[in-house]
Amino acid sequence: MRFMGNKQRIANEILKIIFNNCKDTNTFVDLFCGSCSIIERVPNSYIRIANDKNKFLIEMFKALINGKDYPHTISKDEYSARRDLYNLSKRHLVLTDEDYAEIGWYGWMGSFNGRFFSGGYSGHNVLQKNGKTRDYIKEQINNTLKSIPKLKNVNFISEEYDKINIPQGSIVYCDIPYYGTKQYETSKDFDYENFYNWCRENKGQYQIFISEYNMPEDFKCIWQKEITNSLNTTKTYKPIEKLFII
């Protein structure tokens, strides 16, 4: 699934470093799971826990795992209607878990670059500069559905990261909202100092690994790699992805 900050291209490299730098444990916690590109590659021999604060994302994954089949064609009007429901839910509209899942489907499958309504409608059969067309929505749906069989026994949770009951000794992977980058609405007020302190306080309880561009001096970088990211259809940049421990 295409998702802002998606680790799909480097997930195997990240996991190799994590497993080479951790002690034996039977539990892997993806504390900010996003597209689940990390947790889907963790062996089934682990107890796998995937958490994300965004309930629209979590309920969508849970529904897909339970066999829900959503439309594979999304018109701009259908996309806009779900975006309106999403906006109403922030004010007064009470949603069921099924509502969260459906809005999540339209929001992620239909938004450019996986930006959940803030990226704009991506569309089907979009004309490219080379004269060819590209079906962004079909690509997103196909990529998402491919991952579902790999997530069958994952325990999905939607909670604040510091409210999760994590078994002692667990590997805890944190793909946090990157400091200084554009965020989803649900993560734009992320408290970085609180997160840094949470890591410090739980250093002896869990084996914590953090993906970021930069971290405070008491965090150690154990891996880095330059990658290419897309901001939109015309702009790209090449940040240095890093993996830290505390």
Side-chain angles (χ1 to χ4, degrees):
M1 171 176 159
R2 192 170 180 84
F3 190 94
M4 186 178 65
N6 188 9
K7 295 296 185 296
Q8 184 171 4
R9 289 173 293 167
I10 55 175
N12 289 330
E13 294 178 72
I14 289 174
L15 284 172
K16 181 178 180 180
I17 299 300
I18 288 176
F19 291 134
N20 285 342
N21 285 272
C22 71
K23 300 175 183 177
D24 289 340
T25 180
N26 67 345
T27 306
F28 189 106
V29 181
D30 195 342
L31 210 51
F32 303 80
C33 68
S35 68
C36 293
S37 57
I38 293 291
I39 198 74
E40 72 176 34
R41 290 171 168 81
V42 175
N44 286 328
S45 55
Y46 285 84
I47 296 171
R48 299 187 295 170
I49 300 171
N51 174 72
D52 199 283
K53 179 183 176 181
N54 195 312
K55 189 172 181 179
F56 296 95
L57 179 76
I58 294 300
E59 293 301 329
M60 181 195 75
F61 272 121
K62 288 165 65 175
L64 292 172
I65 289 168
N66 287 327
K68 181 66 176 181
D69 185 20
Y70 292 105
H72 288 204
T73 300
I74 298 175
S75 70
K76 190 171 184 178
D77 286 344
E78 291 170 327
Y79 173 84
S80 297
R82 270 64 177 197
R83 183 179 57 200
D84 290 343
L85 289 175
Y86 167 66
N87 289 330
L88 286 172
S89 73
K90 293 184 289 184
R91 298 196 291 271
H92 60 79
L93 183 65
V94 177
L95 301 176
T96 65
D97 288 348
E98 290 79 9
D99 294 330
Y100 275 102
E102 180 178 293
I103 293 170
W105 174 263
Y106 282 86
W108 268 288
M109 299 307 109
S111 296
F112 181 76
N113 216 20
R115 291 193 61 86
F116 191 56
F117 294 125
S118 65
Y121 178 70
S122 58
H124 298 280
N125 302 318
V126 179
L127 184 63
Q128 307 293 295
K129 288 183 177 181
N130 59 10
K132 297 181 179 180
T133 60
R134 185 172 175 182
D135 192 331
Y136 289 105
I137 292 176
K138 182 179 179 181
E139 291 175 16
Q140 177 78 318
I141 290 174
N142 289 343
N143 288 336
T144 301
L145 295 181
K146 284 178 184 178
S147 71
I148 298 305
K150 306 172 188 176
L151 300 171
K152 289 292 185 180
N153 68 342
V154 172
N155 179 19
F156 281 93
I157 303 171
S158 181
E159 187 56 89
E160 296 285 353
Y161 71 88
D162 54 355
K163 301 295 190 298
I164 305 298
N165 183 20
I166 302 174
Q168 187 169 351
S170 296
I171 297 170
V172 179
Y173 173 66
C174 305
D175 187 10
I176 65 173
Y178 283 18
Y179 185 81
T181 62
K182 188 173 182 179
Q183 303 298 338
Y184 292 114
E185 187 168 351
T186 54
S187 60
K188 65 181 181 181
D189 297 322
F190 188 75
D191 189 329
Y192 291 92
E193 288 301 324
N194 187 70
F195 174 74
Y196 302 152
N197 289 331
W198 178 87
C199 291
R200 292 169 181 133
E201 292 166 2
N202 290 283
K203 178 179 179 180
Q205 298 295 316
Y206 321 127
Q207 303 178 70
I208 303 172
F209 298 82
I210 309 105
S211 281
E212 242 287 19
Y213 294 151
N214 295 287
M215 290 289 287
E217 291 184 357
D218 54 329
F219 290 77
K220 178 183 178 182
C221 179
I222 58 172
W223 173 87
Q224 65 181 47
K225 181 177 182 179
E226 181 181 87
I227 63 167
T228 300
N229 281 340
S230 173
L231 289 171
N232 53 44
T233 54
T234 61
K235 295 182 180 180
T236 59
Y237 66 109
K238 296 183 178 182
I240 305 296
E241 281 280 354
K242 298 177 182 178
L243 186 67
F244 294 86
I245 57 173
I246 176 70

